[in-house]
Amino acid sequence: MAVYNDAMCKKCRALGSKLFLKGERCFTDKCAFEKKPYPPGKDRTSRGRKSSYYEHLVEKQKAKILYGILERQFRRYFFKAKTQKGETGENLIKLLERRLDNVLFRSGMASSRKEARRLISHGHIVVNGRKVNIPSYTLKKGDVVSFSKKTKEREDIKQTFSERVKRGISPWIVADLDKLNITFSDIPSKDDVQPPFNANAIVELYSK
């Protein structure tokens, strides 16, 4: 499992893109990226002209940090996407979006991917009736994800899940508030996700 120990908000500021790494906080006026839209450090000058390689590398870093993946695992996702039919960049996004921790975040079962990984590793999540403790578990179309029986009894879980669903969740996920579960109804396309990084730039980077 990928573990980043630096301040999350610094990553957004360093990469010049809001990645919503801290969940609920990112939607408030406490968001550090909104308050300090410049790179961390003493030099607060605007980002100067960078090389093509640097720009491609930044796009890869955005994707890795957004989904909480380290280089070795990310590279495996890329080469798997490359072997599949269709556009490599599109395939890469589809593989990343099918991760269990990502789907929990997209569905409102977790406020962030980091919280989702914690819920999964602590045994709070069940997929198709079986407990899964691997955040990178790949979901298939039609899979049903729910909280464990014990976790469903927690009132705070019920309330926060309900509030997030009412605010809006990804359209390729169907939530059932009564059963406290979600169904991964479809695999989203790149246009559905509209990720904050350029997938084609990542393909070009690995192709060099």
Side-chain angles (χ1 to χ4, degrees):
M1 185 191 306
V3 178
Y4 293 96
N5 294 319
D6 293 338
M8 291 294 181
C9 295
K10 283 187 177 180
K11 295 178 175 63
C12 295
R13 293 173 57 203
L15 295 172
S17 181
K18 189 169 181 176
L19 301 177
F20 298 92
L21 300 176
K22 299 198 75 172
E24 306 288 346
R25 184 185 179 92
C26 298
F27 295 93
T28 69
D29 55 6
K30 294 181 180 180
C31 174
F33 183 81
E34 298 291 346
K35 294 166 65 176
K36 303 176 182 179
Y38 48 81
K42 294 182 179 180
D43 185 8
R44 298 186 178 183
T45 57
S46 61
R47 296 173 174 85
R49 183 176 177 82
K50 305 296 183 181
S51 67
S52 174
Y53 174 79
Y54 176 85
E55 291 175 351
H56 287 70
L57 181 63
V58 165
E59 296 306 308
K60 184 184 74 167
Q61 293 299 96
K62 287 180 184 178
K64 285 170 55 180
I65 291 172
L66 179 69
Y67 291 100
I69 304 172
L70 298 181
E71 178 62 30
R72 187 175 180 180
Q73 187 178 25
F74 190 83
R75 186 178 290 269
R76 286 201 299 268
Y77 276 119
F78 173 79
F79 285 109
K80 184 176 181 179
K82 192 175 181 179
T83 61
Q84 296 177 338
K85 293 182 180 179
E87 183 184 335
T88 302
E90 176 99 11
N91 293 337
L92 177 62
I93 292 172
K94 288 180 178 180
L95 286 172
L96 295 172
E97 284 294 319
R98 290 170 62 190
R99 285 174 57 96
L100 179 57
D101 56 357
N102 175 74
V103 173
L104 289 189
F105 167 66
R106 295 287 192 193
S107 68
M109 292 179 75
S111 64
S112 66
R113 293 177 181 86
K114 185 176 182 179
E115 182 187 350
R117 287 191 287 274
R118 185 167 60 249
L119 287 171
I120 296 166
S121 60
H122 289 182
H124 295 290
I125 301 301
V126 175
V127 179
N128 297 329
R130 298 182 63 182
K131 186 177 292 186
V132 175
N133 59 5
I134 303 173
S136 61
Y137 180 88
T138 301
L139 292 176
K140 300 184 294 296
K141 183 178 178 180
D143 280 350
V144 177
V145 183
S146 64
F147 293 106
S148 65
K149 184 176 180 180
K150 187 175 181 180
T151 306
K152 284 182 178 180
E153 298 174 355
R154 291 174 48 182
E155 289 300 324
D156 59 325
I157 291 290
K158 296 178 183 178
Q159 182 177 351
T160 53
F161 180 43
S162 176
E163 290 174 353
R164 291 169 190 155
V165 170
K166 289 176 181 177
R167 281 206 303 265
I169 61 176
S170 298
W172 54 89
I173 298 172
V174 178
D176 188 328
L177 294 178
D178 293 328
K179 297 181 179 179
L180 289 181
N181 67 22
I182 60 102
T183 301
F184 188 58
S185 60
D186 200 4
I187 299 174
S189 66
K190 182 169 63 175
D191 293 334
D192 293 329
V193 177
Q194 295 185 345
F197 59 85
N198 186 340
N200 292 331
I202 298 173
V203 175
E204 292 178 19
L205 177 67
Y206 278 117
S207 300
K208 291 182 178 179

